[in-house]
Amino acid sequence: MNRIKKIVFSQSVLVLFDQAIFSGTNFILTLFLAQKLDVKNFGVFSIILLVTYLIMSIINALLIQPFQVSISKITKKKEYYVSLFLGLVALLLFFMFIVKLLAISFSIEAIFSSHSNAIICFISGYIFQDFFRKFFLSLASILLVLVIDFLFLLLIIIGFYSFNNHINLTITLYIIGLANFVSAIPGLVFIFKNYEHPISWKTFLNDHIFQGKWLFSVAVLQWSSSNFFVLISGIYLGIEALGALRLVQSFFGIINIILQSVENYFLPKVAFLYNENIAKAKKYLLTITTYGAILFGVLLSILFLFSTEIIVLTGGTKYQEYGYVVKIVAVLYFFIFLSYPIRIAVRILVLNKIFFVGYLLSFVFSILTFHFLLNYSGLYGAVSGLICNQIIMILYWQNRLTKNNFYLWK
């Protein structure tokens, strides 16, 4: 009994449990909003979320990722925690100012200007909570992360239940934003309890600038490579089309989580074999890729064949005309799957720089082709662009592996 209890409450199990709660909450919330909001407002929500992801990537690159590397060698940890938090506040104030300035200065779209305060609440709350989740994960304080995620889940249930018959975009943004702020209270308590005047803040700042300038570039390029076609489709094809594409991407996000979990699970195994015997590592990687391709092929075939039923089930009958989007995104995920064994090979060879170059090449392709693809092919063009991005990265990464004498398919 004690052994079972020890396993259940082990760090690794708690991390997986928390990831299931976090991912499950966001997935169900997306489906709920797709059904409650009209197609246009769900599209607006999707644009705001994409911009939030960009800001989150920037803050992760400047704050969290350097923190993950530096925390083990910093002696004045409490000063470092406070400096990190103040850095977060400064960046949030900057982004809030930019959002408000854009809303006042430009009539980008009336619906965005009229929701500027709700947008600021949503983005700030989302970033605030995400910061503390990753902060505590870096400190291996998994129970505090669980408290944050459970509290967020409870608050959004209460919030949306209270406004069940009056849910609109403004209420949605405020509920999620405030729920994120309140659920991040354990983080604020931790900072206040460990407060120490940050005398060495300049040292910490220099370290983060040194690490963050490269990470920042990678974060922006990775976001651009993944989301540029999606965001631009809202301008070319209308917000409704963007909302439909984001709904389908959210549904396929479950597969993304599975792929990332598989990568994190098999990467150490392949790396261990690589250090012992390169041939064994290649054989093992090809074996798991083959089995994965069979399972993945069956899953994607089902999604392809029942595309209309799936999009109606997830978003309601108002999305019925977008059933074809499920089909083309299923094709996209076939290429995403193909990239994973190559990604694992790149990581075990520690060729991290080529990730940056791969994302750069795919983003340049996006810039050069988005007008033609979206103007003449609509959402087919948007997803085709994403597929081409994957192919470009796969071919480049494979080429660099070959030049490093790692022949994955031989």
Side-chain angles (χ1 to χ4, degrees):
M1 187 68 182
N2 287 332
R3 185 183 174 119
I4 294 172
K5 188 177 179 181
K6 189 175 180 180
I7 292 172
V8 169
F9 288 96
S10 66
Q11 293 277 52
S12 56
V13 172
L14 288 175
V15 168
L16 289 173
F17 181 55
D18 175 72
Q19 185 61 49
I21 295 170
F22 176 75
S23 301
T25 299
N26 283 287
F27 175 67
I28 293 170
L29 180 59
T30 300
L31 299 189
F32 173 78
L33 292 176
Q35 300 210 11
K36 284 292 183 179
L37 300 175
D38 60 47
V39 179
K40 184 175 182 179
N41 278 318
F42 184 72
V44 174
F45 176 79
S46 299
I47 291 176
I48 295 167
L49 192 59
L50 285 176
V51 173
T52 304
Y53 287 157
L54 174 59
I55 297 172
M56 189 168 68
S57 296
I58 292 170
I59 289 178
N60 283 340
L62 297 176
L63 296 180
I64 293 296
Q65 290 177 15
F67 170 73
Q68 291 169 334
V69 174
S70 300
I71 185 59
S72 60
K73 54 189 177 186
I74 295 286
T75 53
K76 299 177 180 179
K77 295 190 186 306
K78 290 186 178 181
E79 282 190 37
Y80 191 27
Y81 299 154
V82 175
S83 298
L84 204 69
F85 175 70
L86 292 176
L88 171 70
V89 173
L91 287 170
L92 278 180
L93 288 172
F94 172 74
F95 287 122
M96 287 164 64
F97 172 75
I98 294 298
V99 170
K100 200 66 181 174
L101 186 66
L102 288 172
I104 293 171
S105 304
F106 302 100
S107 299
I108 306 169
E109 174 75 45
I111 196 165
F112 288 104
S113 298
S114 62
H115 291 85
S116 61
N117 290 333
I119 291 170
I120 287 171
C121 176
F122 175 85
I123 294 176
S124 302
Y126 206 102
I127 301 299
F128 204 69
Q129 195 236 47
D130 180 76
F131 169 85
F132 280 114
R133 282 192 79 256
K134 289 170 181 170
F135 176 81
F136 286 131
L137 282 171
S138 301
L139 297 179
S141 301
I142 312 303
L143 286 176
L144 282 174
V145 182
L146 276 167
V147 169
I148 288 173
D149 288 336
F150 266 121
L151 191 55
F152 175 73
L153 175 60
L154 180 64
L155 288 168
I156 60 167
I157 289 173
I158 293 171
F160 283 113
Y161 179 78
S162 301
F163 290 92
N164 188 41
N165 297 319
H166 308 282
I167 294 173
N168 56 36
L169 182 60
T170 303
I171 288 173
T172 295
L173 294 173
Y174 275 123
I175 288 175
I176 297 174
L178 293 172
N180 274 314
F181 270 121
V182 175
S183 63
I185 286 176
L188 289 175
V189 172
F190 179 88
I191 294 296
F192 290 138
K193 284 179 67 175
N194 291 277
Y195 182 85
E196 197 169 291
H197 190 64
I199 300 170
S200 306
W201 67 270
K202 286 186 180 179
T203 304
F204 305 141
L205 177 63
N206 290 333
D207 178 52
H208 277 248
I209 290 173
F210 177 75
Q211 293 188 59
K213 57 188 177 184
W214 179 261
L215 294 167
F216 169 81
S217 302
V218 173
V220 173
L221 278 174
Q222 188 172 0
W223 180 90
S224 301
S225 175
S226 302
N227 297 302
F228 181 78
F229 273 107
V230 181
L231 197 59
I232 294 297
S233 67
I235 299 172
Y236 273 71
L237 309 175
I239 293 175
E240 293 87 349
L242 183 145
L245 182 54
R246 279 297 302 158
L247 173 61
V248 175
Q249 283 187 319
S250 299
F251 178 79
F252 276 84
I254 298 174
I255 298 175
N256 249 348
I257 294 167
I258 294 170
L259 285 173
Q260 288 168 14
S261 300
V262 167
E263 181 185 7
N264 292 332
Y265 177 76
F266 284 110
L267 177 62
K269 291 178 177 289
V270 178
F272 178 77
L273 286 173
Y274 180 79
N275 291 327
E276 283 192 339
N277 187 298
I278 296 175
K280 279 186 178 179
K282 290 180 184 177
K283 185 179 178 182
Y284 182 70
L285 188 53
L286 285 173
T287 300
I288 59 176
T289 300
T290 302
Y291 284 119
I294 295 169
L295 293 172
F296 215 64
V298 171
L299 176 60
L300 291 178
S301 297
I302 293 170
L303 295 174
F304 189 93
L305 292 170
F306 297 98
S307 56
T308 303
E309 291 81 358
I310 286 167
I311 200 165
V312 169
L313 181 66
T314 54
T317 53
K318 58 186 180 240
Y319 287 97
Q320 188 168 354
E321 63 181 289
Y322 294 103
Y324 70 94
V325 180
V326 178
K327 284 182 165 62
I328 53 180
V329 172
V331 175
L332 167 63
Y333 268 80
F334 170 74
F335 287 98
I336 290 174
F337 170 78
L338 286 181
S339 74
Y340 268 80
I342 297 171
R343 289 170 61 90
I344 291 173
V346 170
R347 289 186 65 184
I348 63 175
L349 289 172
V350 200
L351 299 172
N352 295 330
K353 185 178 178 181
I354 75 171
F355 277 130
F356 173 81
V357 178
Y359 287 123
L360 178 61
L361 291 173
S362 68
F363 180 58
V364 170
F365 171 82
S366 301
I367 293 292
L368 294 175
T369 61
F370 77 88
H371 175 75
F372 174 80
L373 289 171
L374 291 172
N375 203 36
Y376 293 100
S377 303
L379 282 178
Y380 281 105
V383 180
S384 296
L386 293 172
I387 291 171
C388 290
N389 282 346
Q390 288 296 322
I391 293 172
I392 288 168
M393 289 188 288
I394 288 170
L395 291 176
Y396 174 73
W397 292 337
Q398 179 61 42
N399 175 263
R400 302 312 299 174
L401 287 174
T402 302
K403 288 194 174 182
N404 282 270
N405 298 315
F406 191 96
Y407 302 94
L408 186 59
W409 311 113
K410 283 189 179 181

